[in-house]
Amino acid sequence: MTTIVVTGIGATSPIGGTARESWDALLRGESGTRSLTHDWVAQHELPVTFAAEAKVRPEEVLERQEIKRLDPSAQFALIAAREAWADAGSPDIAPERILVDYATGIGGLWTLLDAWDVLKEKGPRRVLPMTIPMLMPNAAAAAISMGLGARAGARTVVSACASGTEAIANAYEHLQQGLADIVVAGGTEAVVHPLPIAAFASMQALSKRNDDPAAASRPYDVDRDGFVLGEGAAALVLETKEHALARGARIYAELAGGSVTSDSYHITAPDPEGSGAARAVLAALAQAGATPDDVSHINAHATSTPVGDIAEYNALYRVFGERVKSIPVSATKASTGHLLGGTGALEAVFTILALHERMAPPTINLDNQDEAIPLDVVTSPRPLGDGPLLAISNSFGFGGHNSVVAFRTVD
């Protein structure tokens, strides 16, 4: 198998406008969750009045024309991809050898619902001609492709909250197949909107801690009551190690493997036994040529839902047995909220930096750990030690989608 490496990272998240700003804020234990100040919160009498909105708004970064022609989900994606590309040294290679694997869980929701309002209130002639290109789920991949001149393909995967991780797993396969020399991979989401908030709240999935938003996302805590809706995007530049060395690129880590499985259990609930998720972990490790004993760190999906956190623990126990109680686990959604289709990409960035800097990031808001989840949860920045390190990042989504990626340190 060809060695695949990460040579560029980018992100715009609830805790920072770049990958580095997000990572530094994560290490400081900051929360990106805040009360919403939009008029529509009171207008619709929403039961949840907070979310983890992106810290830096797209209009502060992009050109006016880009804002007008892209849904917020594609705006975030373009920002993250441009940062990652620049971080990789803006590689000078043939456009036909650059591929985009980019994901979203929902797509251009703001565009869709705004256009519906315009149609109802002002009639069909006032609906913008760019509505369809802006709302389609592949808009982010297309925007990145056009922005970077990538002509080897612009592929989109939509698998709910596993989307960003699955895009990275797909990128691994596409590089192994020789379809491109460089792949830009990641995920995005921008659905902090009254409809998703109302819908998620109706299904009892969101935390209702309106009086203390910053403490609302609390994975593994006995008082966890749901996830926090977040937004943003992240991107990786991936290429073969041979290609990276030939152009003198900095290498953050090796993308050692990736996997996709499905539960075939329930449209929203995870398999409580965690069998599908466990198979995904084992498959990613097998592709990496590794065993469970090689894993040094886990970035867990850990959404802060009562059922989901336990299901993931059960999956990890299936894989690691009693050793899972001594592997440093970070649950970074406590700081960032849940970016849905973008969350796996952001957590991949955090996992890569954890290996690159040999530091596991903290999980905030864990005041009273659930005894049913006896993991070694990192609550303050913790050194990961010397020698070779291998880490996994887990993502699981509605529909029973499971995806896991494995990263390894590079000498």
Side-chain angles (χ1 to χ4, degrees):
M1 300 288 280
T2 301
T3 300
I4 308 301
V5 295
V6 182
T7 56
I9 55 174
T12 180
S13 80
I15 55 176
T18 66
R20 173 53 61 177
E21 289 172 4
S22 298
W23 173 250
D24 290 345
L26 184 67
L27 292 181
R28 290 193 298 268
E30 294 183 11
S31 171
T33 304
R34 295 168 285 273
S35 295
L36 295 168
T37 58
H38 308 291
D39 293 342
W40 45 257
V41 176
Q43 176 188 348
H44 297 291
E45 299 180 343
L46 294 177
V48 174
T49 61
F50 60 90
E53 294 184 289
K55 187 171 184 178
V56 176
R57 306 313 303 171
E59 53 268 25
E60 299 177 45
V61 182
L62 298 177
E63 298 294 329
R64 182 171 176 271
Q65 192 67 11
E66 292 172 325
I67 294 293
K68 289 180 62 178
R69 299 177 70 87
L70 296 172
D71 181 85
S73 61
Q75 295 170 18
F76 287 136
L78 190 58
I79 291 168
R82 283 176 173 168
E83 181 194 353
W85 191 254
D87 189 48
S90 300
D92 183 15
I93 67 169
E96 291 77 15
R97 300 299 298 167
I98 307 170
L99 188 147
V100 176
D101 269 305
Y102 214 81
T104 185
I106 296 176
L109 181 123
W110 272 98
T111 296
L112 173 62
L113 295 179
D114 283 353
W116 177 240
D117 289 341
V118 169
L119 176 63
K120 289 187 298 180
E121 296 168 10
K122 300 180 180 180
R125 293 182 180 277
R126 299 296 296 275
V127 175
L128 296 176
M130 283 293 292
T131 297
I132 298 299
M134 289 171 66
L135 68 83
M136 60 192 190
N138 60 306
I144 294 169
S145 172
M146 289 184 284
L148 299 181
R151 296 178 182 170
R155 305 193 181 198
T156 299
V157 63
V158 178
S159 53
C161 304
S163 301
T165 300
E166 186 169 343
I168 296 168
N170 289 345
Y172 177 92
E173 296 285 356
H174 294 149
L175 283 165
Q176 292 290 355
Q177 294 167 13
L179 300 182
D181 292 325
I182 290 184
V183 177
V184 179
T188 186
E189 207 76 88
V191 295
V192 179
H193 179 285
L195 180 60
I197 291 174
F200 279 127
S202 180
M203 66 174 8
Q204 305 300 312
L206 291 182
S207 170
K208 293 184 171 64
R209 199 179 288 261
N210 292 321
D211 58 338
D212 192 6
S217 184
R218 42 200 315 108
Y220 310 134
D221 195 272
V222 293
D223 292 325
R224 67 190 185 280
D225 68 331
F227 74 85
V228 171
L229 186 60
E231 66 177 5
L236 311 180
V237 173
L238 302 165
E239 55 191 300
T240 66
K241 186 176 182 180
E242 180 182 17
H243 188 271
L245 292 176
R247 69 180 189 86
R250 173 194 48 207
I251 295 174
Y252 282 100
E254 176 191 349
L255 171 58
S259 67
V260 175
T261 68
S262 54
D263 286 349
S264 186
Y265 175 79
H266 189 274
I267 192 63
T268 57
D271 176 0
E273 300 300 320
S275 59
R279 285 188 294 110
V281 173
L282 289 170
L285 292 177
Q287 195 167 63
T291 71
D293 288 340
D294 296 321
V295 174
S296 313
H297 172 55
I298 298 170
N299 188 299
H301 186 59
T303 59
S304 183
T305 59
V307 172
D309 288 5
I310 289 180
E312 184 175 13
Y313 168 75
N314 290 338
L316 294 174
Y317 190 84
R318 278 175 174 263
V319 174
F320 299 101
E322 290 296 316
R323 183 172 176 268
V324 78
K325 300 176 182 178
S326 61
I327 302 173
V329 174
S330 296
T332 52
K333 288 183 182 68
S335 288
T336 67
H338 190 355
L339 277 62
L340 307 183
T343 204
L346 180 61
E347 287 159 15
V349 167
F350 292 156
T351 305
I352 290 160
L353 288 172
L355 293 178
H356 186 65
E357 301 195 356
R358 296 180 175 270
M359 184 71 66
T363 303
I364 63 173
N365 300 330
L366 183 56
D367 298 326
N368 189 3
Q369 188 167 338
D370 190 338
E371 292 182 357
I373 311 176
L375 295 170
D376 179 15
V377 183
V378 178
T379 55
S380 60
R382 185 191 303 180
L384 289 173
D386 300 325
L389 299 174
L390 180 75
I392 60 170
S393 180
N394 300 336
S395 294
F396 313 117
F398 284 178
H401 297 278
N402 308 308
S403 189
V404 176
V405 285
F407 296 97
R408 183 185 279 123
T409 50
V410 175
D411 294 332

